[in-house]
Amino acid sequence: MINRKVIMAIADGLGDRPHTMLGNKTPLEYARTPNLDDLASEGITGMMDLIAPGIPVGTDMGHLILFGYEPQHYPGRGPIEALGIGMEVKPGDIVLRCNFATVDEAGIVVDRRAGRIREKTNEIAKSINGMELEDGVVAYLEPATEHRAVLILRGDGLSDQVSDSDPKAPNDGKPYHHIEPKDASKEAQKTAYLLNVFLKKAHEILSSHPVNVERITAGKLPANFILTRGAGRMVDIEPIAEKLNINVSCIAGESTVLGVAKLAGYKTFTDSSMTGNIDTNIELKAKLAIEEIANNDIVYVHMKAPDVKGHDNKPLEKTKSIELFDQMVGMIREKLPDNVYLALAADHSTPCEVGEHTGEPVPVLIAGPSIRKDRVSQYNEMDCAYGGMGRLTGSDFVRTLHDLLGFVKKQGN
Ligand SMILES: [Zn+2]
């Protein structure tokens, strides 16, 4: 068998629409991208709908598909967040996204983010992590970025069909919500009851926690409450790496992407210099991608900045972030071994004029050994529409790569 490998470079939210500020070009058309265009000349291109035309997807869903799952395997945002911050998640766990918040004696939410607390959330979380509730159910709480945290309930007979305690923005000044079951099942009733017990106990412990006493003395809001939302149940999902018996690495700065990679059984690499913005460390990402491909079948390398600039309605800055992506791809290309395909993809479109994800397709590309190249010589939304891969789904694209590596079983005899 021929030993072939893939490095896939993903530009988050890359797809866009022609913009008047860019002479009616898309940021990708407008940007100076010599490396991406050379790859287009050498390779095969196409347009990819992650799920189907016109369906917008989130970064979590987009990467789930790019990492080899079908959309129906989506485990919910909570489990992905938990994995992203390095928490262990087991099948059957109920996972909730949380905020450290400030409430007063009457249960009124003074601040949903506890004064945007950033320091010592680790110590605060530790004081309630591992709390034993009733019936053998244990609560695990770990801090995420800034005022965010993740709560896991582990035990028998639990359900994710429970409401949120978080009154959500802009509802500071309103009481937190009592958690209610969303269906009539015993499991939902038990889970809602246990969560309410947890909230009360946590509030008692946090109210006198030394970090909060210190904060009050310093005139800051105490993190004396845990607001919960988005309960999800961790599904029993087979890691792609095990299913295909392959080794895969993922290099990224964003915890959502890292969480999905962990779900898939991929090794993850991150560093504080991979910022998720325009100042991210592209040299380190490119260096790691080349190092990792030596011992792996597939390496994913992710850049967040284009999505951020799309959300911010900043076409010129999005152009800059794409030029940075081009430079990163150029560094990888320079040291690319002969047996490695270089694939370009995005998880969704984030048009600057919209500031949100849309369902428009994104350009994709594969360059490398013995590829059937097409006549497209520019990597962008308009030219790749004429590419040899045509219009394909995210799963089609990933399968095409897996087939090039010899991972796809022959049908029939
Ligand atoms: Zn986004």
Side-chain angles (χ1 to χ4, degrees):
M1 206 182 98
I2 317 174
N3 176 28
R4 298 260 162 94
K5 301 175 170 201
V6 174
I7 295 178
M8 186 193 292
I10 302 169
D12 205 300
L14 175 70
D16 212 303
R17 300 174 181 172
H19 201 284
T20 47
M21 273 174 72
L22 306 176
N24 288 317
K25 290 182 171 179
T26 69
L28 182 55
E29 279 185 292
Y30 189 85
R32 223 191 125 259
T33 53
N35 292 297
L36 307 185
D37 295 338
D38 279 357
L39 286 170
S41 305
E42 293 166 8
I44 187 165
T45 63
M47 292 302 283
M48 174 175 75
D49 301 287
L50 268 295
I51 295 179
I55 299 181
V57 302
T59 291
D60 48 3
M61 178 64 91
H63 282 82
L64 195 79
I65 295 165
L66 289 174
F67 290 170
Y69 287 107
E70 300 288 335
Q72 63 269 23
H73 291 133
Y74 184 66
R77 183 71 189 267
I80 291 171
E81 293 275 317
L83 287 162
I85 62 165
M87 268 177 112
E88 186 191 17
V89 192
K90 295 184 175 171
D93 281 356
I94 305 302
V95 190
L96 302 100
R97 301 168 71 201
C98 304
N99 275 13
F100 291 106
T102 310
V103 302
D104 70 10
E105 278 144 40
I108 303 291
V109 178
V110 178
D111 187 343
R112 287 183 59 255
R113 301 181 177 124
R116 284 198 174 266
I117 185 167
R118 302 183 118 179
E119 309 85 25
K120 300 191 181 173
T121 49
N122 216 347
E123 286 175 43
I124 296 173
K126 227 180 251 170
S127 68
I128 40 181
N129 187 30
M131 186 193 289
E132 287 177 17
L133 301 168
E134 292 165 36
D135 208 12
V137 175
V138 180
Y140 299 93
L141 183 91
E142 287 191 21
T145 42
E146 300 182 355
H147 56 273
R148 297 178 196 91
V150 175
L151 173 68
I152 290 180
L153 286 194
R154 184 170 297 154
D156 293 332
L158 299 174
S159 162
D160 60 356
Q161 292 304 304
V162 291
S163 65
D164 301 338
S165 61
D166 190 346
K168 313 254 169 69
N171 283 323
D172 285 343
K174 302 249 172 77
Y176 74 83
H177 295 165
H178 192 78
I179 294 172
E180 307 283 352
K182 288 207 246 177
D183 63 30
S185 70
K186 262 202 323 223
E187 289 81 8
Q189 287 176 32
K190 174 177 168 179
T191 309
Y193 166 74
L194 289 176
L195 279 169
N196 285 316
V197 170
F198 169 79
L199 294 186
K200 198 161 164 273
K201 277 192 172 179
H203 179 53
E204 277 165 25
I205 294 169
L206 297 184
S207 294
S208 58
H209 193 285
V211 170
N212 281 330
V213 173
E214 222 175 86
R215 285 180 70 83
I216 292 167
T217 312
K220 292 178 186 168
L221 290 170
N224 64 6
F225 202 81
I226 308 294
L227 288 174
T228 58
R229 66 183 182 279
R233 187 188 175 85
M234 181 60 183
V235 288
D236 199 355
I237 182 170
E238 190 182 10
I240 297 285
E242 268 172 40
K243 189 175 159 196
L244 298 175
N245 193 22
I246 54 173
N247 291 309
V248 184
S249 262
C250 173
I251 301 151
E254 209 205 11
S255 63
T256 306
V257 174
L258 294 168
V260 182
K262 283 178 187 158
L263 191 75
Y266 299 167
K267 275 162 281 177
T268 55
F269 289 85
T270 192
D271 186 88
S272 56
S273 67
M274 299 177 188
T275 60
N277 213 319
I278 209 152
D279 55 355
T280 193
N281 188 344
I282 56 169
E283 289 83 8
L284 180 60
K285 284 185 184 176
K287 181 174 158 271
L288 281 172
I290 293 296
E291 279 173 17
E292 281 303 298
I293 201 60
N295 300 312
N296 287 282
D297 302 290
I298 303 174
V299 170
Y300 290 94
V301 53
H302 172 258
M303 183 188 281
K304 185 70 188 170
D307 182 54
V308 174
K309 300 305 175 190
H311 283 290
D312 289 350
N313 312 100
K314 297 256 167 70
L316 280 169
E317 287 186 25
K318 185 163 179 181
T319 297
K320 265 192 217 151
S321 74
I322 292 167
E323 291 176 350
L324 208 66
F325 180 71
D326 176 82
Q327 287 161 27
M328 181 183 81
V329 169
M331 291 173 201
I332 294 169
R333 198 171 154 232
E334 227 169 69
K335 302 210 167 138
L336 198 71
D338 288 341
N339 66 329
V340 179
Y341 294 100
L342 188 46
L344 303 181
D347 55 346
H348 52 75
S349 293
T350 312
C352 291
E353 71 159 16
V354 185
E356 243 314 327
H357 303 184
T358 65
E360 288 147 308
V362 293
V364 288
L365 180 160
I366 307 170
S370 312
I371 201 80
R372 293 180 179 179
K373 68 177 191 165
D374 57 28
R375 291 172 189 170
V376 174
S377 60
Q378 310 262 313
Y379 180 65
N380 62 51
E381 298 88 339
M382 310 305 164
D383 286 276
C384 291
Y386 296 94
M389 280 188 284
R391 184 100 175 229
L392 72 178
T393 67
S395 298
D396 292 339
F397 180 60
V398 173
R399 196 184 321 107
T400 300
L401 287 168
H402 285 177
D403 182 43
L404 286 170
L405 303 188
F407 299 158
V408 184
K409 250 207 220 133
K410 178 168 70 176
Q411 302 290 302
N413 205 330

